């Protein structure tokens, strides 16, 4: 039976700022090559970044981070932001404005003069920049008020709407690491409900300073400074900094306007673990399995049609087996065959991008289904022996390979937040472009070098 495509959502524009890459084309090339894009800092660089001397010399401090170049730069004049206002603004908010502009341009929409009612759904990590300003002291009440407005997450979506004259809903979405994929779900629902005709979804996770982490025995951060999801050497996560943005429209509207999308969102779902787990910070196999099943149902597809899964993939000894078990159970119950679904784990390349992680994973999955290439999991050697691999639909690719899964190419994307808010999305390769009225084929849409 043919799927009802009236509920499908087109991704018409993308932009991103990620570790180790100056543009999305270079980022995708690095992922296909399986490169680790994190940075190990020397002590001089840590001191220059403002890391406290006691941490710089602490043997438990791991000086590794997915470093985002030029995170302190901002085209303030373009956005009519005074130098003083820019100084008070969290770098995350600055970069979100720039990525929003770039994504709208990539979608073929004038950032300052769109005829479409455009909603903004934004998420960002906690503001280390604001904490640094407060710790420095000396802020008078008026300056403090400016700093709060330029840093607190309540104001980021409405700031983008104000600066770009976007008149749809402007909503900040905060669910910890799953925030940006939950924002995607919220935007999809708004489009389907007719609340807007176009939606801008943007997520940021930019550390201040970009430095590393203090390893705590038994904690989630890697002692080795390497994130190795599903690997026998996995010992925790490494943080990274990045910003991701997508532009969404109803598929039928986009195609009617001659837009060639990057891919199609078939369905999304969000839930929470509740209290049936070991503790507040612990993941839940039941919650994760349920959200994947719900997204497949919303997409009206079965597990037999999925060939790739971009996982949350933190590389923790407890989290990885739970995620593997939950995804295996959900996909197997939905009809996926053993060894059918290739696993992806972006955190192995860039580190954990926190509130931007889910949207970054979505963009990666869109590249996979669009290009028909499955990247390896960076640094992977051998499977974690704690994973239950018997009859699992999942496998971990150790090298890049052409798509070998079902057609049309479909993928799932998972993102799980601390506290238990889980999100999953199902995406599909873009439809074949319609022939031009003059009989010539339309040119292949290229990936733009952004910012």
């Amino acid at each position: 039976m043919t799927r009802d495509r009236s509920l499908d959502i087109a991704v018409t524009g993308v932009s991103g700022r990620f570790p180790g890459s100056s543009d999305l084309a270079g980022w995708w090339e690095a992922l296909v090559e399986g490169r680790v894009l994190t940075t190990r800092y020397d002590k001089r660089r840590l001191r220059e970044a403002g890391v406290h001397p006691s941490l710089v010399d602490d043997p438990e401090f791991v000086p590794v981070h997915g470093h985002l170049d030029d995170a302190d730069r901002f085209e303030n004049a373009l956005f009519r932001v005074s130098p003083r206002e820019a100084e008070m603004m969290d770098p995350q908010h600055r970069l979100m404005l720039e990525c929003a502009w770039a994504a709208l341009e990539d979608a073929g929409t004038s950032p300052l003069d769109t005829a479409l009612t455009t909603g903004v759904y934004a998420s960002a990590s906690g503001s280390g920049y604001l904490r640094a300003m407060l710790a420095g002291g000396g802020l008078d009440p008026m300056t403090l008020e400016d700093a709060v407005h330029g840093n607190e997450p309540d104001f980021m979506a409405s700031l983008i709407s104000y600066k770009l004259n976007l008149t749809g809903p402007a909503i900040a979405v905060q669910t910890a690491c799953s925030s940006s994929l939950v924002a995607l779900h919220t935007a999809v629902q708004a489009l389907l409900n007719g609340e807007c005709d176009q939606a801008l979804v943007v997520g940021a996770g930019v550390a201040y300073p970009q430095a590393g982490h203090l390893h705590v025995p038994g904690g989630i951060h890697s002692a080795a400074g390497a994130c190795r999801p599903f690997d026998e050497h996995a010992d925790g996560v490494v943080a990274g900094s990045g910003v991701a943005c997508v532009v969404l429209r109803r598929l039928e509207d986009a195609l009617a306007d001659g837009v060639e999308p990057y891919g199609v969102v078939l369905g999304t779902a969000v839930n929470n673990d509740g209290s049936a787990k070991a503790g507040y910070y612990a993941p839940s196999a039941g919650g994760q399995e349920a959200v994947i099943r719900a997204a497949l149902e919303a997409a009206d597809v079965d597990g037999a049609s999925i060939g790739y899964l971009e996982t949350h993939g933190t590389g923790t000894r407890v989290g990885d087996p739970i995620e593997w078990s939950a995804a295996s159970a959900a996909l197997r119950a939905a009809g996926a065959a053993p060894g059918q679904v290739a696993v992806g784990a972006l955190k192995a390349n860039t580190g954990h991008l926190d509130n931007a992680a889910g949207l970054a994973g979505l963009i990666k999955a869109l590249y996979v289904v669009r290009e028909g290439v499955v990247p390896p999991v960076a640094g992977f050697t051998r499977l974690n022996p704690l994973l239950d691999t018997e009859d699992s639909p999942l496998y971990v690719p150790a090298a890049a390979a052409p798509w070998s899964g079902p057609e049309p190419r479909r993928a799932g994307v998972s993102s799980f937040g601390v506290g238990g808010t889980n999100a999953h999305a199902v995406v599909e390769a873009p439809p074949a472009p319609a022939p031009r009225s003059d009989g010539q084929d339309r040119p292949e849409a290229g990936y733009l070098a952004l910012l």
Side-chain angles (χ1 to χ4, degrees), residues 65-66 68 71 90-92 125-129 204-212 239-242:
H65 186 79
L68 184 65
D90 190 317
Q92 296 182 114
S125 300
S127 180
Y129 190 70
V206 181
Y208 189 87
Q210 299 185 71
S241 293

Side-chain angles (χ1 to χ4, degrees), residues 18 180-181 184 201-203 244-246 355-364:
F18 301 121
S180 60
L181 206 63
L184 178 91
V201 187
V202 57
C245 187
V246 298
N355 284 35
L359 210 53
L362 178 90
I363 293 174
K364 180 188 172 186

